[in-house]
Amino acid sequence: MKLNPFVQAGIGLTFALLWSCPTLAALTETQNYGLDVKITGQSEDDRDLGTASGGDVSGVGLDLRPWIYGESGAWSAYAMGQAVTSTDIIETDTLQQSDSDGTQTTDNSDRKTKKNYLAMREFWVGYSGLTPYPGEQLKLGRQRLRNDDGQWRDTNIEALNWTFDTTLLRANVGVAERFSEYRTDLKELAPKDKDRLHAYADAAYQWTPGNWVGVRGHHTHDDGKLDYPEPGVAGDSLDKQQNGDISWLGLTADSDAYNYRNTNTLNYWGSITGMSGDTDTVNALNADGTRPAEAKRGEDLNGWATDIGVRLRLDQQWQVGAAYARASADYEQNSLESNRSNYTGTRSRVHRFGEAFRGEMNNMQTATLFGSWMLNDEYDASLIYHKFWRVDGNKPVGSNGINAVQNDTDDVTGAVLSSTSLPLEDGTKDLGQEMDLVVTKYFKQGLLPASLSQSIDEPSALVRFRGGVFKPGDAYGKDVDSYMHRAFIDVIWRF
């Protein structure tokens, strides 16, 4: 398989970084290397809620991730590749971007997910000698950025990131920008990622044993060149139609609730975030195909969001909890999030807004009830119920795992002439409800260097089922199917 220039550059940069420092050229006894093997089976039905042909996924994929890690003194370096082959276009990666699932329509193949591809997931150099604290490190390169709730950062991206992690104080400061996907199939970035710079910082203080308060901020500066429509020229979904500057500032408090090892009888988490910014958006052509009077329009954005939850430990194995999240109509997330976390109290990270629906913090409120179970380090399970509503019944919600469409058909033949996203019913807020189940069996435990805690989520081996069944609400109208589901079985083994 021929590598595209971005992947070639990534591989070259990886080895250049590994060998550029004499202390790293001769890897010491602390070196680590290995191979993560992941087999994923996916079953998905009616992502389009029955509004179009297809919309189903059924297949098995093999995901191989070779990695190498070396350290000497304060220096370290890490690289992880990826080779995927599958019988259908399935998701072997929980960090996969929502718009890279092969569903979008383009007039080229520069961003079309394929069954088989090669990739570079990470390549970075780290230095931990800026302070004497063992939990401090500066990293440069493509790396995993992640925060506990997954609602601000959880992605692989090129970044300069400084982490400070001690008993009483945790902090992160960094800048990041996506220059490539480093995949042989996705040769172009998503429009929202083109020329978009992220700057972020957060700090949390343990004011009393097991209780943290924190502040976090994020700013995106997007000055990418806009693609204006031209009469008689077909547009493309890869055209960049919006840029601007947006800032987020949030406060957090929690009882170390995302740490599944804590033994608190009562756990809690809470966050509130304000967002402000301005955007420029390209105006579409007039109905007659001519250029609009104004090529673009400016808009001021202001919004807020909150996420709160409690979890009660009934005994050593069982926990129950409830959570509530709400985001105003104009609020949006920063595009680095996965919304996956350990909020149910188990080692398995679960999507905060449904494994099937996969909602976002945008014009949405969610009520959640859950129960979880853990048996030593061998098993865990979570059963979760979600109810979703729109905050403003006349505005859309953010992108999610649903891709319902509205078809324009020929009156005579009934043939589909065109399809657009299904508009939600005006004034109706009920988006639907969902039941999720996540069950994991763990096998042998493996020891990895502390520096890799961000990059590798799982122990040495596991089998996991994760799935959700979504029932759409009245906001989707009456001409959709009653249920959709998305389910995975993951088998992971680390050599």
Side-chain angles (χ1 to χ4, degrees):
M1 183 180 295
K2 184 177 179 181
L3 299 179
N4 68 34
F6 290 118
V7 177
Q8 292 176 345
I11 295 174
L13 177 59
T14 299
F15 286 101
L17 292 174
L18 281 170
W19 293 97
S20 62
C21 178
T23 60
L24 289 176
L27 296 176
T28 68
E29 294 180 356
T30 60
Q31 77 170 19
N32 282 269
Y33 58 90
L35 176 67
D36 292 1
V37 178
K38 184 176 185 181
I39 300 173
T40 298
Q42 179 178 348
S43 173
E44 181 179 316
D45 185 43
D46 284 344
R47 175 187 302 185
D48 52 37
L49 302 182
T51 59
S53 60
D56 303 334
V57 176
S58 179
V60 177
L62 174 64
D63 187 336
L64 303 177
R65 302 179 186 182
W67 59 273
I68 182 171
Y69 172 80
E71 65 179 34
S72 180
W75 289 93
S76 60
Y78 176 74
M80 173 181 274
Q82 186 176 26
V84 174
T85 182
S86 58
T87 61
D88 199 348
I89 298 178
I90 68 173
E91 299 175 22
T92 64
D93 188 356
T94 55
L95 297 185
Q96 182 170 311
Q97 297 293 307
S98 61
D99 63 353
S100 64
D101 57 12
T103 61
Q104 61 184 344
T105 301
T106 70
D107 58 5
N108 60 61
S109 60
D110 286 344
R111 192 173 177 83
K112 187 72 173 178
T113 302
K114 297 181 179 179
K115 298 178 183 179
N116 310 307
Y117 65 87
L118 297 177
M120 283 298 300
R121 290 179 64 83
E122 295 188 58
F123 46 88
W124 52 258
V125 166
Y127 180 69
S128 57
L130 296 179
T131 75
Y133 295 94
E136 176 267 329
Q137 188 176 37
L138 179 70
K139 288 183 183 179
L140 174 63
R142 181 172 170 84
Q143 58 191 280
R144 175 78 173 274
L145 300 180
R146 188 178 73 194
N147 69 306
D148 285 342
D149 63 14
Q151 294 176 14
W152 285 56
R153 300 186 302 276
D154 190 12
T155 189
N156 294 324
I157 190 173
E158 301 89 317
L160 175 64
N161 180 77
W162 180 74
T163 297
F164 186 82
D165 189 352
T166 65
T167 303
L168 296 178
L169 182 64
R170 300 171 182 167
N172 292 276
V173 179
V175 291
E177 183 173 346
R178 202 178 301 280
F179 297 102
S180 170
E181 299 286 3
Y182 300 95
R183 285 176 46 160
T184 54
D185 53 347
L186 303 183
K187 301 174 185 178
E188 288 286 336
L189 291 173
K192 65 182 180 182
D193 287 327
K194 294 177 181 178
D195 301 304
R196 191 176 197 187
L197 176 68
H198 300 262
Y200 57 88
D202 59 73
Y205 175 68
Q206 187 176 203
W207 62 278
T208 189
N211 293 273
W212 296 78
V213 293
V215 60
R216 53 190 181 183
H218 194 110
H219 178 76
T220 60
H221 174 64
D222 186 345
D223 61 353
K225 181 181 178 181
L226 298 177
D227 296 310
Y228 297 97
E230 298 182 17
V233 178
D236 192 282
S237 63
L238 297 186
D239 288 345
K240 189 173 182 66
Q241 298 187 355
Q242 187 179 83
N243 61 18
D245 291 88
I246 306 177
S247 298
W248 294 260
L249 182 63
L251 300 175
T252 64
D254 68 82
S255 60
D256 208 18
Y258 298 104
N259 177 9
Y260 71 92
R261 295 187 183 278
N262 89 55
T263 58
N264 300 337
T265 301
L266 180 66
N267 277 293
Y268 66 89
W269 72 87
S271 66
I272 185 165
T273 304
M275 183 205 75
S276 179
D278 58 82
T279 61
D280 289 324
T281 304
V282 170
N283 286 324
L285 295 175
N286 297 323
D288 60 0
T290 60
R291 286 190 174 90
E294 297 289 338
K296 63 181 180 181
R297 64 186 183 278
E299 183 179 7
D300 292 329
L301 296 179
N302 291 283
W304 66 276
T306 186
D307 183 18
I308 57 176
V310 294
R311 190 174 68 243
L312 176 66
R313 185 179 301 277
L314 302 178
D315 57 29
Q316 292 183 346
Q317 298 181 12
W318 294 92
Q319 300 181 70
V320 294
Y324 175 77
R326 180 184 177 96
S328 65
D330 292 330
Y331 185 86
E332 61 184 60
Q333 295 180 270
N334 61 40
S335 79
L336 299 186
E337 75 285 343
S338 71
N339 290 320
R340 291 187 173 275
S341 68
N342 306 90
Y343 73 91
T344 64
T346 70
R347 181 184 301 179
S348 299
R349 300 172 68 238
V350 183
H351 200 294
R352 178 65 182 84
F353 307 114
E355 292 289 337
F357 183 66
R358 298 184 182 180
E360 290 186 355
M361 298 282 273
N362 172 232
N363 193 31
M364 188 183 73
Q365 58 180 330
T366 308
T368 303
L369 297 174
F370 62 88
S372 63
W373 170 76
M374 285 197 303
L375 179 60
N376 302 321
D377 287 330
E378 298 181 32
Y379 297 93
D380 65 40
S382 298
L383 182 65
I384 308 147
Y385 170 79
H386 300 282
K387 177 66 177 176
F388 307 104
W389 301 269
R390 280 193 290 179
V391 173
D392 187 328
N394 294 306
K395 291 187 177 181
V397 295
S399 62
N400 50 50
I402 306 300
N403 188 35
V405 300
Q406 183 178 56
N407 295 316
D408 180 21
T409 59
D410 187 280
D411 294 335
V412 178
T413 65
V416 176
L417 302 177
S418 63
S419 295
T420 57
S421 295
L422 178 71
L424 299 177
E425 296 285 323
D426 285 341
T428 305
K429 296 185 177 182
D430 180 15
L431 291 170
Q433 53 191 321
E434 176 168 335
M435 286 293 298
D436 289 343
L437 177 64
V438 179
V439 182
T440 308
K441 161 62 177 173
Y442 300 94
F443 297 98
K444 65 176 184 174
Q445 303 295 301
L447 297 178
L448 293 169
S451 299
L452 301 188
S453 61
Q454 288 282 88
S455 301
I456 299 177
D457 294 329
E458 308 294 356
S460 293
L462 62 84
V463 176
R464 173 176 293 147
F465 170 85
R466 51 190 173 92
V469 177
F470 173 71
K471 181 180 181 180
D474 293 339
Y476 286 98
K478 299 179 180 180
D479 297 325
V480 298
D481 282 358
S482 299
Y483 296 94
M484 69 85 62
H485 81 265
R486 181 180 284 113
F488 300 84
I489 294 179
D490 297 318
V491 179
I492 298 175
W493 193 272
R494 176 167 297 117
F495 294 96

